[in-house]
Amino acid sequence: MRSLSLLLILSLIAILSQPTFSKSVRCHPQDKKVLLKIKQHFNNSYDFSSWNPDTDCCTWYIVKCDRLTNRITRFNLITADDVAGPIPDAIGDLPHLTSLTFHKLPNLIGSIPPAITKLTNLQSLTITWTNVSGPIPPFLSQLKNLTGLYLSFNNLTGSIPPSLAQLRLLTGLSLDRNRLTGSIPEALGDIPASLMYIDLSHNQLSGSIPKGWGKFNFTTLQLERNRLEGDASGLFGKSKSIENADLSRNMFAFDLTKVEIPYQLRYLDMNHNKIFGSLPAGLEPLTFVNVSYNRLCGRIPTGGVFQEMDYLSFFHNKCLCGPPLPDCK
């Protein structure tokens, strides 16, 4: 009996003498190898200080493991001034990633690497507030499981690739605040019904919006500060689900008189365009309206949101009148 107890004690001591064993079993060795390669790529910056090769990579900052498979599924590198260089090709060797984020990294440079196409399980790709440059690569269309593509606040140039229309699961698309040129591809007129949020604002896009957009129900559409033109009235209608629409600072030209305001619309900004006609019925329930710097005429309604708006929301039109502008003669 004493020998059995001694054996148990010795076994316990042997287990306790290996403190990293129980902590390291979750971490998949191939994922750890790739992560350490990424750390080396970024010159072992401070943000990777928790990435100790003697510990479980499932406990490291920036990444997250799946509880069942223990594979790395999330890589979210956020707000790090000392992370410098391009996105490493090694990121493509984390095949179980569903979410990949590079956010507020001013020293992240270079183009979006083709290695990202190996991430076939990726659902969300976010590269925002960086100095990543070059074109939006057409190969992003290979990421068939993407539901969110967010590439805002970068130095991306060139045109929007028509191949993005192949991402049939997208619910959100943000390409705003880059230096994109050219027209919005007509192929994006055949967007999936799931795509509810589009932000292409603060670029240098030109031409008209895709004809197919008149058939779809967005909740948010932001096109402000481009060089877009033509008729955008098809975006509206009583049955549409759009809640926020910003078409400001473009060159849209259409008759606003007969536009049917969607019941759910709450935010409408059309300032600095060439829109003509008169203000339609149905604007009163909105919480914000700006139609300044257009070619509108007629009387300004007095109920609802119009009771709270000042003259700046109507300023510089052809012949709008009534409070808060001078009354009609």
XYZ file of all heavy atoms in Angstrom, residues 109-207:
743
model
N 1.456 48.763 -44.995
C 1.595 49.274 -46.359
C 1.478 48.124 -47.358
O 1.228 46.982 -46.991
C 2.947 49.995 -46.541
C 4.106 49.030 -46.229
C 3.036 51.226 -45.647
C 5.481 49.596 -46.542
N 1.724 48.448 -48.624
C 1.706 47.431 -49.657
C 0.287 47.136 -50.135
O -0.672 47.802 -49.769
N 0.165 46.140 -50.961
C -1.123 45.781 -51.548
C -1.736 44.588 -50.821
O -1.096 43.942 -49.988
C -0.941 45.456 -53.038
O -0.009 44.394 -53.195
N -2.979 44.309 -51.142
C -3.660 43.138 -50.570
C -3.103 41.891 -51.248
O -3.183 41.765 -52.467
C -5.178 43.251 -50.775
C -5.705 44.518 -50.080
C -5.889 42.014 -50.240
C -7.170 44.811 -50.351
N -2.530 40.956 -50.501
C -1.819 39.841 -51.124
C -2.755 38.744 -51.642
O -3.799 38.457 -51.033
C -0.966 39.302 -49.968
C -1.740 39.622 -48.742
C -2.423 40.937 -49.028
N -2.383 38.109 -52.752
C -3.190 37.000 -53.287
C -3.322 35.834 -52.309
O -4.265 35.041 -52.426
C -2.407 36.574 -54.539
C -1.602 37.774 -54.916
C -1.254 38.447 -53.637
N -2.405 35.719 -51.361
C -2.459 34.616 -50.394
C -3.771 34.599 -49.628
O -4.187 33.549 -49.118
C -1.285 34.722 -49.426
N -4.453 35.743 -49.546
C -5.736 35.803 -48.825
C -6.768 34.878 -49.459
O -7.691 34.401 -48.780
C -6.230 37.266 -48.764
C -5.460 38.021 -47.664
C -7.721 37.359 -48.521
C -5.876 39.459 -47.478
N -6.637 34.599 -50.742
C -7.623 33.746 -51.412
C -7.612 32.315 -50.878
O -8.560 31.558 -51.133
C -7.381 33.702 -52.933
O -6.058 33.208 -53.199
C -7.509 35.088 -53.530
N -6.577 31.942 -50.140
C -6.546 30.600 -49.538
C -7.474 30.490 -48.337
O -7.743 29.389 -47.860
C -5.109 30.247 -49.135
C -4.161 30.112 -50.311
C -2.828 29.504 -49.902
C -1.978 30.451 -49.108
N -0.636 29.880 -48.793
N -7.977 31.621 -47.862
C -8.838 31.624 -46.676
C -10.285 31.403 -47.099
O -11.142 32.286 -47.030
C -8.689 32.951 -45.929
C -7.266 33.310 -45.494
C -7.226 34.692 -44.845
C -6.725 32.253 -44.534
N -10.578 30.200 -47.531
C -11.884 29.896 -48.120
C -13.019 29.893 -47.102
O -14.192 29.887 -47.494
C -11.836 28.541 -48.829
O -11.391 27.534 -47.901
C -10.872 28.583 -50.007
N -12.697 29.881 -45.808
C -13.735 29.926 -44.776
C -14.008 31.347 -44.292
O -14.860 31.553 -43.417
C -13.331 29.075 -43.574
C -13.321 27.591 -43.903
O -14.339 27.046 -44.316
N -12.171 26.951 -43.740
N -13.302 32.334 -44.864
C -13.387 33.702 -44.379
C -14.791 34.275 -44.614
O -15.326 34.210 -45.718
C -12.346 34.566 -45.082
C -11.930 35.856 -44.366
C -11.298 35.544 -43.021
C -10.976 36.657 -45.238
N -15.364 34.849 -43.546
C -16.679 35.474 -43.627
C -16.594 36.996 -43.541
O -17.446 37.691 -44.095
C -17.578 34.944 -42.504
C -17.845 33.451 -42.587
C -18.576 32.921 -41.378
O -19.137 33.686 -40.586
N -18.569 31.616 -41.206
N -15.592 37.504 -42.837
C -15.452 38.952 -42.690
C -14.011 39.363 -42.939
O -13.094 38.840 -42.296
C -15.873 39.379 -41.270
O -15.673 40.769 -41.089
N -13.812 40.287 -43.886
C -12.480 40.819 -44.178
C -12.522 42.328 -43.965
O -13.269 43.051 -44.632
C -12.070 40.510 -45.611
C -10.743 41.132 -46.076
C -9.584 40.664 -45.201
C -10.470 40.803 -47.545
N -11.716 42.803 -43.009
C -11.668 44.220 -42.672
C -10.229 44.718 -42.763
O -9.356 44.239 -42.038
C -12.191 44.462 -41.243
O -13.542 44.001 -41.144
C -12.135 45.943 -40.894
N -9.988 45.646 -43.677
C -8.707 46.351 -43.769
C -9.053 47.830 -43.802
O -9.458 48.368 -44.840
C -7.916 45.935 -45.023
C -7.697 44.415 -45.051
C -6.572 46.660 -45.077
C -7.073 43.902 -46.337
N -8.972 48.499 -42.655
C -9.462 49.865 -42.523
C -8.459 50.730 -41.771
O -7.777 50.273 -40.866
C -10.809 49.889 -41.785
O -10.709 49.137 -40.571
C -11.913 49.282 -42.626
N -8.417 52.024 -42.151
C -7.525 52.999 -41.511
C -6.068 52.520 -41.560
O -5.381 52.453 -40.551
C -7.948 53.255 -40.066
C -9.257 53.959 -39.901
C -10.498 53.392 -39.976
C -9.475 55.347 -39.650
N -11.469 54.335 -39.772
C -10.875 55.560 -39.563
C -8.620 56.444 -39.474
C -11.431 56.807 -39.322
C -9.182 57.683 -39.219
C -10.574 57.858 -39.145
N -5.609 52.155 -42.744
C -4.224 51.748 -42.943
C -3.668 52.538 -44.124
O -4.353 53.370 -44.717
C -4.113 50.245 -43.247
O -4.504 49.994 -44.602
C -4.973 49.415 -42.295
N -2.436 52.239 -44.505
C -1.850 52.806 -45.710
C -1.670 51.739 -46.785
O -0.786 51.844 -47.640
C -0.524 53.493 -45.393
C -0.740 54.942 -44.961
O -1.326 55.732 -45.698
N -0.306 55.282 -43.760
N -2.500 50.729 -46.733
C -2.535 49.728 -47.804
C -2.955 50.426 -49.096
O -3.861 51.263 -49.112
C -3.519 48.599 -47.443
C -3.809 47.723 -48.655
C -2.949 47.757 -46.304
N -2.278 50.107 -50.181
C -2.489 50.806 -51.448
C -2.683 49.813 -52.587
O -2.797 48.609 -52.374
C -1.295 51.723 -51.730
O -0.097 50.975 -51.790
N -2.695 50.354 -53.816
C -2.908 49.504 -54.978
C -4.385 49.334 -55.254
O -5.241 49.915 -54.592
N -4.719 48.518 -56.234
C -6.127 48.334 -56.603
C -6.850 47.375 -55.650
O -6.216 46.632 -54.899
C -6.036 47.723 -58.004
C -4.743 46.944 -57.968
C -3.802 47.764 -57.106
N -8.168 47.443 -55.704
C -8.965 46.394 -55.046
C -8.839 45.161 -55.932
O -9.298 45.162 -57.078
C -10.437 46.810 -54.918
C -10.566 48.051 -54.034
C -11.271 45.663 -54.347
C -11.967 48.617 -53.983
N -8.220 44.106 -55.445
C -7.921 42.980 -56.335
C -9.171 42.184 -56.717
O -9.989 41.851 -55.848
C -6.962 42.118 -55.500
C -7.190 42.529 -54.090
C -7.645 43.946 -54.102
N -9.344 41.889 -57.993
C -10.484 41.080 -58.434
C -10.533 39.707 -57.776
O -11.614 39.117 -57.657
C -10.266 40.959 -59.949
C -9.435 42.159 -60.310
C -8.539 42.378 -59.134
N -9.368 39.215 -57.320
C -9.361 37.863 -56.748
C -10.120 37.765 -55.426
O -10.363 36.663 -54.937
C -7.930 37.325 -56.587
C -6.997 38.153 -55.746
C -7.211 38.344 -54.381
C -5.863 38.737 -56.314
C -6.331 39.083 -53.606
C -4.986 39.489 -55.547
C -5.221 39.657 -54.194
N -10.533 38.891 -54.851
C -11.342 38.820 -53.633
C -12.668 38.102 -53.887
O -13.300 37.600 -52.953
C -11.607 40.220 -53.078
C -10.393 40.969 -52.519
C -10.816 42.349 -52.002
C -9.714 40.181 -51.400
N -13.083 38.051 -55.150
C -14.330 37.360 -55.492
C -14.238 35.856 -55.234
O -15.263 35.164 -55.227
C -14.685 37.603 -56.962
O -13.681 37.063 -57.819
N -13.032 35.351 -55.026
C -12.864 33.920 -54.727
C -13.256 33.572 -53.298
O -13.402 32.396 -52.964
C -11.412 33.512 -54.986
C -10.963 33.679 -56.430
C -9.494 33.316 -56.626
O -8.982 32.377 -56.018
N -8.817 34.064 -57.480
N -13.427 34.579 -52.463
C -13.791 34.341 -51.059
C -15.306 34.225 -50.970
O -16.009 35.118 -50.506
C -13.263 35.479 -50.188
C -11.745 35.679 -50.226
C -11.350 36.941 -49.457
C -11.031 34.453 -49.641
N -15.838 33.106 -51.404
C -17.265 32.934 -51.615
C -18.091 33.000 -50.337
O -19.314 33.183 -50.403
C -17.532 31.597 -52.316
C -16.856 31.449 -53.665
C -17.310 32.522 -54.652
C -16.699 32.315 -56.038
N -17.055 33.374 -56.995
N -17.471 32.829 -49.183
C -18.217 32.848 -47.925
C -18.249 34.217 -47.265
O -18.775 34.357 -46.153
C -17.635 31.816 -46.945
C -17.978 30.396 -47.347
O -19.137 30.093 -47.589
N -16.965 29.540 -47.434
N -17.690 35.233 -47.925
C -17.674 36.571 -47.333
C -19.090 37.121 -47.164
O -19.891 37.134 -48.105
C -16.881 37.545 -48.206
C -15.377 37.668 -48.006
C -14.843 38.845 -48.815
C -14.997 37.822 -46.550
N -19.371 37.592 -45.950
C -20.613 38.330 -45.700
C -20.319 39.814 -45.498
O -21.224 40.641 -45.649
C -21.342 37.787 -44.463
O -20.489 37.878 -43.316
C -21.736 36.323 -44.679
N -19.089 40.161 -45.142
C -18.717 41.552 -44.952
C -17.362 41.852 -45.552
O -16.383 41.150 -45.258
N -17.289 42.877 -46.413
C -16.026 43.310 -47.006
C -15.876 44.800 -46.711
O -16.630 45.627 -47.228
C -16.019 43.070 -48.517
C -14.775 43.546 -49.286
C -13.517 42.866 -48.753
C -14.930 43.286 -50.781
N -14.896 45.141 -45.865
C -14.740 46.503 -45.371
C -13.315 46.973 -45.648
O -12.364 46.512 -45.019
C -15.054 46.559 -43.874
C -16.378 45.908 -43.532
C -16.417 44.676 -42.875
C -17.578 46.511 -43.897
C -17.636 44.071 -42.583
C -18.794 45.911 -43.603
C -18.816 44.689 -42.946
O -20.016 44.091 -42.667
N -13.176 47.896 -46.609
C -11.860 48.381 -47.046
C -11.797 49.904 -46.968
O -11.244 50.562 -47.844
C -11.577 47.910 -48.473
C -11.633 46.396 -48.716
C -11.397 46.075 -50.192
C -10.607 45.658 -47.853
N -12.339 50.491 -45.917
C -12.438 51.944 -45.782
C -11.139 52.570 -45.283
O -10.337 51.925 -44.603
C -13.558 52.296 -44.799
O -14.755 51.653 -45.148
N -10.964 53.872 -45.597
C -9.847 54.664 -45.072
C -8.488 54.025 -45.380
O -7.700 53.741 -44.491
C -9.993 54.855 -43.560
C -11.073 55.804 -43.149
C -12.347 55.347 -42.880
C -10.821 57.171 -43.034
C -13.361 56.219 -42.497
C -11.831 58.048 -42.649
C -13.104 57.568 -42.385
N -8.238 53.800 -46.657
C -6.945 53.306 -47.111
C -6.469 54.187 -48.260
O -6.997 55.284 -48.473
C -7.066 51.842 -47.549
C -7.426 50.920 -46.405
O -6.677 50.781 -45.443
N -8.592 50.265 -46.494
N -5.486 53.709 -49.011
C -5.002 54.435 -50.190
C -5.248 53.620 -51.455
O -4.436 53.628 -52.384
C -3.507 54.742 -50.049
C -3.247 55.868 -49.062
O -3.970 56.857 -49.051
N -2.230 55.721 -48.235
N -6.367 52.922 -51.495
C -6.681 52.083 -52.646
C -7.031 52.942 -53.855
O -7.713 53.966 -53.734
C -7.844 51.150 -52.305
C -7.559 50.157 -51.162
C -8.826 49.416 -50.766
C -6.460 49.179 -51.554
N -6.568 52.530 -55.009
C -6.774 53.288 -56.246
C -7.359 52.368 -57.318
O -7.521 51.169 -57.117
C -5.447 53.878 -56.742
O -4.488 52.810 -56.883
C -4.898 54.908 -55.770
N -7.651 52.977 -58.482
C -8.203 52.193 -59.580
C -9.709 52.082 -59.473
O -10.359 52.820 -58.730
N -10.262 51.160 -60.202
C -11.713 51.024 -60.287
C -12.215 49.896 -59.382
O -11.441 49.080 -58.882
C -12.121 50.757 -61.734
O -11.474 49.579 -62.210
N -13.519 49.884 -59.188
C -14.151 48.802 -58.429
C -14.265 47.583 -59.341
O -14.864 47.671 -60.417
C -15.550 49.220 -57.942
C -15.456 50.446 -57.031
C -16.243 48.069 -57.219
C -16.803 51.027 -56.644
N -13.709 46.445 -58.959
C -13.771 45.276 -59.852
C -15.189 44.718 -59.959
O -15.852 44.500 -58.933
C -12.830 44.263 -59.180
C -12.717 44.708 -57.765
C -12.907 46.180 -57.750
N -15.679 44.507 -61.181
C -17.021 43.933 -61.350
C -17.172 42.568 -60.690
O -18.292 42.176 -60.335
C -17.152 43.818 -62.878
C -16.174 44.806 -63.431
C -15.036 44.826 -62.463
N -16.071 41.877 -60.496
C -16.131 40.521 -59.926
C -16.665 40.494 -58.503
O -17.064 39.442 -58.012
C -14.741 39.875 -59.963
O -13.814 40.640 -59.218
N -16.712 41.663 -57.820
C -17.260 41.675 -56.460
C -18.728 41.252 -56.446
O -19.248 40.832 -55.411
C -17.103 43.063 -55.838
C -15.678 43.552 -55.564
C -15.712 44.890 -54.822
C -14.871 42.525 -54.768
N -19.390 41.377 -57.578
C -20.785 40.948 -57.666
C -20.928 39.443 -57.486
O -22.035 38.938 -57.258
C -21.385 41.374 -59.003
N -19.826 38.715 -57.568
C -19.857 37.256 -57.388
C -19.918 36.852 -55.920
O -20.085 35.680 -55.602
C -18.642 36.631 -58.054
C -18.558 36.851 -59.554
C -17.241 36.366 -60.145
O -16.591 35.472 -59.602
N -16.848 36.953 -61.267
N -19.779 37.817 -55.020
C -19.851 37.532 -53.588
C -21.324 37.529 -53.180
O -21.869 38.526 -52.718
C -19.049 38.570 -52.805
C -17.554 38.603 -53.121
C -16.874 39.780 -52.418
C -16.890 37.283 -52.714
N -21.976 36.398 -53.328
C -23.428 36.316 -53.223
C -23.949 36.307 -51.794
O -25.162 36.336 -51.579
C -23.932 35.073 -53.956
C -23.466 34.946 -55.398
C -23.735 36.175 -56.224
N -25.162 36.460 -56.393
C -25.639 37.530 -57.009
N -24.805 38.449 -57.498
N -26.933 37.719 -57.130
N -23.053 36.232 -50.808
C -23.486 36.223 -49.411
C -23.273 37.565 -48.716
O -23.566 37.701 -47.531
C -22.755 35.123 -48.629
C -22.947 33.689 -49.132
C -22.172 32.710 -48.253
C -24.424 33.320 -49.151
N -22.766 38.556 -49.444
C -22.449 39.845 -48.829
C -23.681 40.509 -48.224
O -24.743 40.569 -48.851
C -21.854 40.803 -49.858
C -20.347 40.806 -50.091
C -19.976 41.975 -50.996
C -19.559 40.865 -48.811
N -23.512 41.017 -47.005
C -24.529 41.873 -46.396
C -24.030 43.307 -46.275
O -24.835 44.235 -46.213
C -24.920 41.359 -44.999
O -23.766 41.354 -44.146
C -25.490 39.950 -45.085
N -22.698 43.506 -46.212
C -22.134 44.838 -46.077
C -20.909 45.024 -46.956
O -20.041 44.147 -47.013
N -20.832 46.179 -47.650
C -19.692 46.502 -48.517
C -19.296 47.948 -48.269
O -20.080 48.872 -48.498
C -20.069 46.306 -49.991
C -19.021 46.733 -51.027
C -17.778 45.852 -50.918
C -19.605 46.664 -52.439
N -18.068 48.152 -47.780
C -17.554 49.500 -47.518
C -16.233 49.694 -48.249
O -15.251 49.012 -47.947
C -17.336 49.718 -46.009
O -18.548 49.667 -45.308
N -16.241 50.624 -49.202
C -15.029 50.964 -49.953
C -14.744 52.454 -49.837
O -13.993 53.012 -50.633
C -15.193 50.586 -51.432
C -15.632 49.149 -51.733
C -15.817 48.951 -53.232
C -14.639 48.139 -51.175
N -15.328 53.099 -48.842
C -15.268 54.545 -48.736
C -13.898 55.057 -48.323
O -13.086 54.337 -47.758
C -16.327 55.047 -47.749
C -16.213 54.394 -46.381
O -16.419 53.170 -46.292
O -15.894 55.102 -45.397
N -13.680 56.336 -48.633
C -12.487 57.081 -48.242
C -11.202 56.422 -48.749
O -10.278 56.155 -48.021
C -12.460 57.282 -46.726
C -13.557 58.239 -46.270
C -13.695 58.273 -44.766
N -14.620 59.311 -44.355
C -15.958 59.215 -44.361
N -16.517 58.078 -44.795
N -16.717 60.198 -43.969
N -11.232 56.175 -50.052
C -10.040 55.757 -50.773
C -9.832 56.733 -51.925
O -10.274 57.883 -51.852
C -10.212 54.310 -51.260
C -10.020 53.300 -50.152
O -8.910 53.060 -49.693
N -11.128 52.693 -49.697
N -9.198 56.300 -52.983
C -9.006 57.151 -54.161
C -9.471 56.412 -55.407
O -8.805 56.400 -56.444
C -7.531 57.569 -54.269
C -7.079 58.499 -53.153
C -5.663 58.971 -53.343
N -4.702 57.906 -53.102
C -3.451 57.904 -53.549
N -3.020 58.913 -54.298
N -2.637 56.903 -53.265
N -10.621 55.788 -55.290
C -11.153 54.970 -56.373
C -11.708 55.847 -57.486
O -12.294 56.903 -57.234
C -12.250 54.048 -55.842
C -11.814 53.084 -54.725
C -13.005 52.279 -54.220
C -10.704 52.155 -55.200
N -11.533 55.410 -58.713
C -11.992 56.156 -59.888
C -12.827 55.238 -60.779
O -13.000 54.057 -60.505
C -10.785 56.692 -60.680
O -9.914 55.595 -61.014
C -10.003 57.715 -59.866
N -13.327 55.836 -61.870
C -14.139 55.057 -62.792
C -15.583 54.990 -62.322
O -15.982 55.636 -61.355
N -16.370 54.213 -63.013
C -17.789 54.109 -62.700
C -18.058 52.925 -61.774
O -17.204 52.049 -61.591
C -18.592 53.951 -63.993
O -18.184 52.770 -64.672
N -19.244 52.936 -61.182
C -19.682 51.782 -60.413
C -20.053 50.699 -61.423
O -20.900 50.922 -62.292
C -20.902 52.130 -59.533
C -20.557 53.277 -58.582
C -21.365 50.902 -58.744
C -21.755 53.814 -57.810
N -19.438 49.536 -61.381
C -19.675 48.519 -62.417
C -21.158 48.159 -62.546
O -21.854 47.989 -61.541
C -18.865 47.316 -61.924
C -17.851 47.888 -60.995
C -18.489 49.076 -60.364
N -21.614 48.059 -63.776
C -23.002 47.672 -64.000
C -23.281 46.280 -63.439
O -24.426 45.963 -63.084
C -23.316 47.708 -65.507
C -24.796 47.712 -65.835
C -25.526 48.911 -65.257
O -24.982 50.026 -65.280
O -26.666 48.709 -64.762
N -22.226 45.472 -63.321
C -22.388 44.131 -62.741
C -22.888 44.198 -61.306
O -23.575 43.282 -60.835
C -21.056 43.375 -62.792
N -22.566 45.293 -60.613
C -23.048 45.440 -59.241
C -24.538 45.751 -59.191
O -25.122 45.838 -58.113
C -22.265 46.534 -58.515
C -20.819 46.197 -58.130
C -20.209 47.318 -57.302
C -20.742 44.888 -57.367
N -25.159 45.911 -60.350
C -26.611 46.020 -60.393
C -27.280 44.695 -60.145
O -28.479 44.630 -59.862
N -26.516 43.623 -60.250
C -27.024 42.285 -59.942
C -26.447 41.840 -58.616
O -25.683 40.889 -58.522
C -26.638 41.305 -61.052
C -27.127 39.891 -60.760
O -28.163 39.764 -60.066
O -26.469 38.931 -61.204
N -26.791 42.568 -57.585
C -26.251 42.273 -56.270
C -27.134 41.269 -55.552
O -28.317 41.137 -55.864
C -26.126 43.557 -55.420
C -27.494 44.210 -55.251
C -25.125 44.519 -56.027
C -27.491 45.392 -54.319
N -26.574 40.554 -54.583
C -27.409 39.622 -53.818
C -28.431 40.368 -52.966
O -28.181 41.490 -52.516
C -26.392 38.875 -52.949
C -25.224 39.792 -52.847
C -25.170 40.529 -54.150
N -29.565 39.748 -52.754
C -30.619 40.374 -51.957
C -30.175 40.625 -50.520
O -30.743 41.470 -49.830
C -31.867 39.494 -51.968
N -29.130 39.913 -50.089
C -28.651 40.059 -48.708
C -27.878 41.353 -48.490
O -27.685 41.782 -47.356
C -27.754 38.871 -48.345
O -26.643 38.792 -49.234
N -27.416 42.000 -49.570
C -26.569 43.192 -49.443
C -27.420 44.402 -49.065
O -28.122 44.969 -49.898
C -25.811 43.452 -50.742
C -24.768 44.574 -50.721
C -23.771 44.383 -49.597
C -24.046 44.663 -52.052
N -27.341 44.782 -47.803
C -28.179 45.851 -47.280
C -27.421 47.151 -47.028
O -28.030 48.204 -46.913
C -28.839 45.397 -45.965
C -29.627 44.106 -46.090
S -31.002 44.236 -47.246
C -32.136 45.248 -46.320
N -26.104 47.075 -46.933
C -25.302 48.247 -46.560
C -24.208 48.452 -47.601
O -23.382 47.557 -47.826
C -24.687 48.036 -45.175
C -23.794 49.154 -44.703
C -24.291 50.178 -43.900
C -22.446 49.202 -45.060
C -23.476 51.215 -43.461
C -21.623 50.230 -44.637
C -22.133 51.226 -43.833
O -21.317 52.255 -43.420
N -24.203 49.610 -48.258
C -23.158 49.955 -49.225
C -22.641 51.355 -48.920
O -23.419 52.301 -48.792
C -23.676 49.921 -50.676
C -24.091 48.506 -51.074
C -22.611 50.420 -51.640
C -24.560 48.401 -52.511
N -21.328 51.484 -48.808
C -20.702 52.790 -48.607
C -19.551 52.926 -49.601
O -18.520 52.268 -49.475
C -20.182 52.926 -47.173
C -19.744 54.361 -46.853
O -19.584 55.153 -47.785
O -19.560 54.663 -45.656
N -19.760 53.774 -50.605
C -18.738 54.063 -51.622
C -18.316 55.526 -51.558
O -17.702 56.047 -52.492
C -19.281 53.752 -53.026
C -19.862 52.355 -53.251
C -20.372 52.218 -54.686
C -18.843 51.271 -52.940
N -18.609 56.186 -50.465
C -18.425 57.627 -50.354
C -16.959 58.043 -50.327
O -16.067 57.235 -50.093
C -19.127 58.134 -49.093
O -18.516 57.599 -47.927
N -16.741 59.352 -50.567
C -15.413 59.956 -50.459
C -14.398 59.259 -51.364
O -13.316 58.863 -50.942
C -14.927 59.940 -49.007
C -15.750 60.785 -48.084
N -15.364 62.032 -47.668
C -16.951 60.579 -47.513
C -16.282 62.549 -46.872
N -17.259 61.686 -46.761
N -14.776 59.110 -52.625
C -13.866 58.631 -53.650
C -13.938 59.588 -54.838
O -14.345 60.743 -54.682
C -14.229 57.194 -54.054
C -13.719 56.161 -53.062
O -12.522 55.942 -52.936
N -14.646 55.513 -52.345
N -13.580 59.123 -56.006
C -13.654 59.944 -57.216
C -14.427 59.188 -58.296
O -14.085 59.241 -59.480
C -12.239 60.292 -57.690
C -11.417 61.062 -56.656
C -9.944 61.151 -57.012
O -9.583 61.205 -58.184
N -9.082 61.161 -56.007
N -15.466 58.498 -57.870
C -16.265 57.700 -58.793
C -17.106 58.600 -59.685
O -17.577 59.660 -59.261
C -17.167 56.743 -58.006
C -16.431 55.733 -57.110
C -17.429 54.972 -56.249
C -15.587 54.779 -57.949
N -17.322 58.168 -60.909
C -18.064 58.968 -61.878
C -19.100 58.091 -62.580
O -19.191 56.891 -62.336
C -17.095 59.590 -62.898
O -16.356 58.566 -63.551
N -19.872 58.733 -63.476
C -20.894 57.986 -64.196
C -22.166 57.838 -63.386
O -22.347 58.464 -62.346
